C-alpha cells in the first residue's frame, strides 16, 4: 500500500507540473493577441459659422463640414458617415441628411444647401439658424456614434425661373380667337429642391410693377403655357388696352414651393393689338320651367340674347324674340352667372334692379342696351314687306295679313306669295327704323345672299324672286345667336298623313297616298275629311318623309274647335277627336296653330 501511495503522489505531481506549464503558455499567448476598439465619437466642425450663398455662386462650395476619425478598428475606407441638418432647436425631428463613405469631410454647394433649407421651410433672404451633427458607423450601421452639434447661421437665396416668350408682338382678331397666339416657357425654380414647385403666369399693364397682377395657372412642375388669341386678348383687355388698340402687357412667372417659399421670374413684355370681344347676355327668370327655356331663375340654362353686330352698337345692343307667360318675371345677366345682372322699370335698367315683367301671355321682342342702360319690351313679330310681298313698302300694311308665325324663341315661319323681280325684306314693326339705333327701333332684315345666308339688320333687300307668282315658305332662324339666317323653300302643297283618316285609297302613314290640303291664303291650309276616333295625324309639306312637317306642340287629346300649337321640328302626333266623323282640319302657318272643327 505504501508503494501504491507513492506512485499516486508522483502521478499527481507530474500532472500539476503540466497544468502549470499550460497556464504560463496561455498567458503569454493572450499578451500577444491584438485588442479591437469599438470606436469613439467623432468631433464635427464647420468651415464657417455663417453662410449666405448667392445665386451667381450657387454651384460653388458654400460650406464644408469636417470631423475627426472615430477610430474604428476596421478599414477606414468603409466607415459610413451621415450628416444631419435641421432647424435649430428642433432636435433633428425633421432632419435632412447627406451620406458619405470613407472620408472625413464633405462640402455643400449653394444650391445643395438652399434645397435643404427650402425643405425645412426657411424664408428666403432671411438669416436663420441650423443645427448640424454627424453619425458614424460601420458600413452595416453597427456601432453608431454621434458627434457634437454645430450651429450655423444660413440665409436661403431666391432661385427664380427664367421666362421667355415666343413672340414679342402679337396682332389678335375675333375671327382667330381659338387659334394659338403665343407660348411662354421658363426654367425650373429652386434647382436642387426636391419638393413640388407650382407655377403661375402673372400679367399686368406695363409700368404697373405688378401691384395687382392677374393670374393664369400653369400647374405643378409645368414649364410652359400656350395662350390662344382669345386668351391673349383677355390679358390685354384686363390690363387696360381697349379693344382695337395696341399696348404692352408685362408677364412673369410666380413659383411657390410646397412649404410656401415664393420667387418671381424676370419680366417679359409683349406688344398686343387687341380686339373687341363678344359679351353674352341671357334672360333668366321665373318663366323658364316647362317652356323649354331651362330651369327657373337659372342663368346657365336661360335663353341667350342675339347681339346686334352693327357698328356703333356692337356689344351694346342685345335683343330676342320669345314667348312669355302672363306676369312672367325675369332679369338680364351678362354671362351665365348673377355677378352682373340688370332689372329696372319704365325703360331704365339698373344693376341688380327690380325684376322685369310682362302683364299678359304672348310673344315679345326684348331689347336692352348695356351702355345706355335702356330696355324696350314690345310685341315680338315678323312680317313680309316690299314690292314682292303684296304688302308693298308700307310697314303699317304688314300686320296681321303678312305676318309670319311665332315658331319658337328667335324663330319665325311664314308663307307668302311673291311677285317676281320685286324687292322685299322681313320687318318686326309697323314703321321703318328712324336710324337712331335706340332700343325701340324697328329691325328690318335682308341680305343679298341666297337661301341660308346670314341676315343683316336694316341691311340690303333680299335677292329677287324670279318666277312669278310663287308661294314660298320663309324661315327667320335666330336660334344660333351667333349667326341669324333665313331659309326659303317652295310651299306648293301640304298633306295630311297618319292613321286617323277614314278615306278610301289613303294608307296609314303613307305620304304619296295621303290627301293634299287646300291653300286659302295668308298661310292657311284646309281639308274636310272623315276621321277615325282617337287616332293620329300630322302635316307634311310634300309627298315624302324628307319634307317639312308640323307636329303637335301642345300635347294631349284634340278638342274640337280649339286651336293647338304646331311645331315643325319635333313634337308628338296630333290626335283625332274622340268621336269619328267628318271634320274640317285647318292649319295656319302664319299663326302657328291647327284646329279641327
Amino acid at each position: 500500500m505504501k508503494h501504491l501511495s507513492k506512485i499516486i503522489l508522483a502521478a499527481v505531481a507530474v500532472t500539476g507540473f503540466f497544468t502549470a506549464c499550460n497556464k504560463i503558455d496561455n498567458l503569454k499567448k493572450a499578451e500577444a493577441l491584438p485588442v479591437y476598439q469599438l470606436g469613439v465619437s467623432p468631433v464635427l466642425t464647420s468651415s464657417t459659422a455663417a453662410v449666405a450663398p448667392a445665386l451667381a455662386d450657387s454651384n460653388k462650395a458654400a460650406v464644408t463640414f469636417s470631423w475627426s476619425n472615430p477610430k474604428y478598428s476596421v478599414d477606414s475606407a468603409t466607415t459610413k458617415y451621415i450628416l444631419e441638418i435641421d432647424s435649430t432647436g428642433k432636435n433633428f425631428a425633421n432632419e435632412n441628411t447627406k451620406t458619405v463613405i470613407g472620408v472625413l469631410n464633405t462640402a455643400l454647394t449653394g444650391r445643395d444647401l438652399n434645397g435643404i433649407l427650402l425643405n425645412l421651410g426657411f424664408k428666403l433672404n432671411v438669416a436663420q439658424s441650423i443645427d448640424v451633427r454627424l453619425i458614424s458607423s460601420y458600413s452595416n450601421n453597427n456601432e453608431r456614434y454621434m458627434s457634437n452639434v454645430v450651429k450655423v447661421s444660413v440665409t436661403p437665396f431666391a432661385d427664380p425661373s427664367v421666362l421667355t416668350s415666343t413672340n414679342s408682338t402679337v396682332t389678335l382678331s375675333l375671327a382667330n380667337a381659338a387659334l394659338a397666339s403665343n407660348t411662354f416657357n421658363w426654367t425650373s425654380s429652386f434647382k436642387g429642391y426636391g419638393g413640388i414647385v407650382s407655377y403661375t403666369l402673372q400679367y399686368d399693364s406695363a409700368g404697373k410693377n405688378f401691384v395687382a397682377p392677374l393670374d393664369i395657372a400653369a400647374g405643378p412642375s409645368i414649364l410652359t403655357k400656350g395662350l390662344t388669341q382669345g386668351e391673349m386678348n383677355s390679358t390685354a383687355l384686363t390690363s387696360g388696352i381697349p379693344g382695337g388698340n395696341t399696348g404692352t402687357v408685362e408677364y412673369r412667372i410666380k413659383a411657390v414651393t410646397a412649404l410656401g417659399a415664393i420667387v418671381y421670374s424676370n419680366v417679359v413684355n409683349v406688344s398686343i393689338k387687341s380686339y373687341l370681344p363678344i359679351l353674352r347676355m341671357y334672360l333668366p327668370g321665373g318663366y323658364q320651367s316647362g317652356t323649354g327655356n331651362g330651369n327657373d331663375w337659372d342663368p346657365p340654362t336661360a335663353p341667350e340674347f342675339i347681339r346686334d353686330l352693327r357698328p356703333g352698337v356692337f356689344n351694346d345692343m342685345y335683343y330676342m324674340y320669345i314667348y312669355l307667360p302672363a306676369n312672367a318675371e325675369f332679369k338680364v345677366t351678362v354671362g351665365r352667372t348673377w355677378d352682373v345682372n340688370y332689372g329696372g322699370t319704365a325703360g331704365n335698367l339698373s344693376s341688380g334692379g327690380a325684376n322685369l315683367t310682362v302683364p299678359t301671355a304672348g310673344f315679345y321682342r326684348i331689347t336692352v342696351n348695356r351702355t345706355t342702360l335702356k330696355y324696350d319690351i314690345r310685341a315680338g313679330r315678323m312680317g313680309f314687306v316690299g314690292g314682292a310681298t303684296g304688302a308693298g313698302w308700307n310697314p303699317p300694311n304688314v300686320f296681321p295679313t303678312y305676318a309670319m308665325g311665332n315658331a319658337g324663341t328667335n324663330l319665325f315661319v311664314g308663307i307668302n306669295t311673291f311677285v317676281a323681280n320685286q324687292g322685299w325684306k322681313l320687318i318686326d314693326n309697323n314703321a321703318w327704323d328712324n336710324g337712331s339705333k335706340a332700343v325701340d327701333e324697328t329691325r328690318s332684315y335682308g341680305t343679298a345672299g341666297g337661301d341660308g345666308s346670314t341676315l343683316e339688320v336694316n341691311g340690303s333687300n333680299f335677292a329677287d324672286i324670279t318666277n312669278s307668282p310663287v308661294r314660298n315658305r320663309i324661315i327667320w332662324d335666330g336660334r344660333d345667336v351667333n349667326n341669324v339666317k333665313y331659309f326659303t323653300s317652295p310651299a306648293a302643297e301640304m298633306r295630311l298623313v297618319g292613321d286617323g283618316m277614314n278615306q278610301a285609297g289613303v294608307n296609314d302613314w303613307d305620304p304619296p297616298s295621303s290627301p293634299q290640303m287646300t291653300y286659302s291664303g295668308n298661310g292657311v291650309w284646309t281639308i274636310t275629311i272623315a276621321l277615325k276616333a282617337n287616332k293620329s295625324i300630322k302635316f307634311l309639306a310634300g309627298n315624302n318623309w324628307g319634307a317639312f312637317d308640323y307636329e303637335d306642340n301642345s300635347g294631349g287629346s284634340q278638342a274640337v274647335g280649339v286651336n293647338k300649337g304646331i311645331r315643325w321640328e319635333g313634337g308628338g302626333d296630333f290626335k283625332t277627336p274622340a268621336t269619328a266623323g267628318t271634320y274640317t282640319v285647318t292649319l295656319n302657318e302664319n299663326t302657328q296653330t291647327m284646329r279641327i272643327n
Side-chain angles (χ1 to χ4, degrees):
M1 290 297 293
K2 289 181 179 180
H3 293 293
L4 181 57
S5 299
K6 288 180 179 180
I7 292 171
I8 293 173
L9 289 173
V12 170
V14 172
T15 301
F17 170 78
F18 283 111
T19 301
C21 288
N22 286 336
K23 287 181 178 178
I24 293 171
D25 290 341
N26 288 339
L27 287 172
K28 290 180 178 180
K29 290 179 180 179
E31 291 174 358
L33 288 174
V35 177
Y36 291 96
Q37 296 184 2
L38 297 180
V40 296
S41 295
V43 177
L44 179 67
T45 60
S46 171
S47 63
T48 180
V51 58
L55 177 60
D57 299 324
S58 58
N59 291 322
K60 298 179 181 178
V63 60
T64 299
F65 295 98
S66 304
W67 50 88
S68 62
N69 192 331
K71 297 181 180 180
Y72 293 117
S73 296
V74 295
D75 186 354
S76 60
T78 66
T79 303
K80 181 178 180 180
Y81 301 100
I82 300 175
L83 191 71
E84 294 187 318
I85 300 174
D86 200 357
S87 307
T88 293
K90 294 296 180 66
N91 200 29
F92 298 94
N94 188 35
E95 79 278 16
N96 285 244
T97 64
K98 180 179 181 181
T99 300
V100 297
I101 304 294
V103 295
L104 298 178
N105 60 76
T106 189
L108 297 178
T109 67
R111 279 217 163 95
D112 292 337
L113 181 60
N114 219 46
I116 292 171
L117 301 181
L118 292 172
N119 279 330
L120 295 175
F122 280 20
K123 294 181 180 179
L124 299 176
N125 302 312
V126 176
Q128 294 142 98
S129 179
I130 57 172
D131 287 344
V132 185
R133 71 183 180 186
L134 186 79
I135 298 175
S136 65
S137 69
Y138 294 152
S139 60
N140 64 0
N141 293 320
N142 286 339
E143 301 304 329
R144 291 162 59 91
Y145 287 95
M146 195 170 296
S147 76
N148 56 304
V149 175
V150 172
K151 191 184 303 292
V152 180
S153 175
V154 292
T155 304
F157 61 88
D159 189 5
S161 300
V162 176
L163 175 65
T164 59
S165 170
T166 56
N167 297 305
S168 59
T169 301
V170 295
T171 298
L172 312 173
S173 69
L174 178 59
N176 296 322
L179 299 181
S181 172
N182 200 26
T183 300
F184 296 92
N185 298 290
W186 54 92
T187 60
S188 299
S189 292
F190 306 114
K191 295 179 180 65
Y193 169 65
I196 294 175
V197 179
S198 294
Y199 297 96
T200 302
L201 179 65
Q202 294 189 317
Y203 64 93
D204 200 356
S205 304
K208 294 289 184 65
N209 297 318
F210 291 91
V211 173
L214 294 168
D215 293 346
I216 300 174
S221 306
I222 301 297
L223 301 178
T224 186
K225 182 67 176 180
L227 299 182
T228 64
Q229 288 199 25
E231 291 167 331
M232 285 293 289
N233 196 60
S234 294
T235 69
L237 296 175
T238 53
S239 296
I241 302 173
N245 290 268
T246 299
T248 300
V249 178
E250 294 181 338
Y251 301 85
R252 71 181 183 185
I253 289 295
K254 175 184 178 182
V256 184
T257 69
L259 293 177
I262 301 174
V263 290
Y264 300 94
S265 74
N266 58 301
V267 174
V268 169
N269 292 335
V270 179
S271 175
I272 301 175
K273 183 175 182 180
S274 66
Y275 63 83
L276 193 64
I278 292 175
L279 297 177
R280 299 183 181 276
M281 300 185 75
Y282 302 87
L283 194 75
Y287 68 91
Q288 290 176 240
S289 293
T291 64
N293 289 309
N295 302 315
D296 280 352
W297 296 107
D298 182 32
T301 63
E304 181 176 357
F305 281 88
I306 299 168
R307 292 177 300 280
D308 195 325
L309 302 179
R310 292 173 295 167
V313 293
F314 179 71
N315 271 353
D316 290 334
M317 192 87 80
Y318 296 78
Y319 63 98
M320 73 166 60
Y321 304 92
I322 187 172
Y323 176 84
L324 294 172
N327 301 312
E329 294 188 0
F330 48 91
K331 281 192 170 183
V332 176
T333 64
V334 179
R336 289 201 177 279
T337 70
W338 289 107
D339 293 347
V340 180
N341 72 86
Y342 298 99
T345 56
N348 297 304
L349 291 173
S350 59
S351 179
N355 294 343
L356 303 172
T357 187
V358 293
T360 59
F363 215 84
Y364 291 90
R365 188 193 80 174
I366 303 173
T367 304
V368 298
N369 188 310
R370 54 177 295 273
T371 299
T372 63
L373 292 181
K374 298 290 184 181
Y375 74 91
D376 176 72
I377 301 176
R378 63 181 57 231
R381 55 189 179 175
M382 196 70 65
F384 304 103
V385 68
T389 66
W393 290 104
N394 188 17
N397 295 338
V398 171
F399 302 99
T401 304
Y402 297 95
M404 302 176 74
N406 306 120
T409 300
N410 295 330
L411 182 65
F412 296 91
V413 178
I415 290 181
N416 193 69
T417 301
F418 293 86
V419 177
N421 301 313
Q422 298 287 322
W424 66 287
K425 300 181 79 171
L426 297 175
I427 194 168
D428 72 356
N429 201 6
N430 59 2
W432 287 112
D433 174 47
N434 59 16
S436 65
K437 294 182 180 178
V439 290
D440 60 351
E441 70 173 325
T442 296
R443 288 186 178 85
S444 62
Y445 298 90
T447 176
D451 177 61
S453 298
T454 299
L455 292 172
E456 304 166 10
V457 176
N458 299 340
S460 58
N461 294 344
F462 288 109
D464 286 344
I465 294 174
T466 57
N467 51 338
S468 176
V470 61
R471 187 166 66 236
N472 277 337
R473 180 174 291 103
I474 308 297
I475 301 174
W476 186 101
D477 191 353
R479 291 173 299 173
D480 179 357
V481 297
N482 299 306
N483 191 5
V484 180
K485 295 183 178 182
Y486 90 106
F487 299 92
T488 180
S489 61
E493 64 178 280
M494 183 67 69
R495 293 174 183 258
L496 193 66
V497 297
D499 60 6
M501 289 167 285
N502 189 16
Q503 180 171 305
V506 175
N507 300 320
D508 291 351
W509 301 108
D510 179 39
S513 68
S514 297
Q516 292 194 42
M517 304 179 74
T518 300
Y519 187 66
S520 304
N522 296 326
V524 177
W525 303 84
T526 61
I527 188 172
T528 299
I529 191 170
L531 298 178
K532 301 173 185 177
N534 296 318
K535 294 294 184 178
S536 298
I537 56 173
K538 64 190 300 186
F539 303 92
L540 186 65
N543 63 359
N544 62 77
W545 285 113
F548 183 97
D549 67 79
Y550 281 114
E551 299 176 3
D552 185 9
N553 194 36
S554 305
S557 60
Q558 179 65 46
V560 174
V562 176
N563 286 336
K564 295 199 71 176
I566 61 177
R567 184 170 183 172
W568 65 272
E569 198 172 54
D573 299 330
F574 294 99
K575 295 298 181 182
T576 58
T579 302
T582 299
Y583 296 89
T584 297
V585 180
T586 302
L587 171 68
N588 190 326
E589 293 195 66
N590 284 0
T591 62
Q592 291 286 288
T593 60
M594 72 84 69
R595 185 177 70 254
I596 297 177
N597 287 90

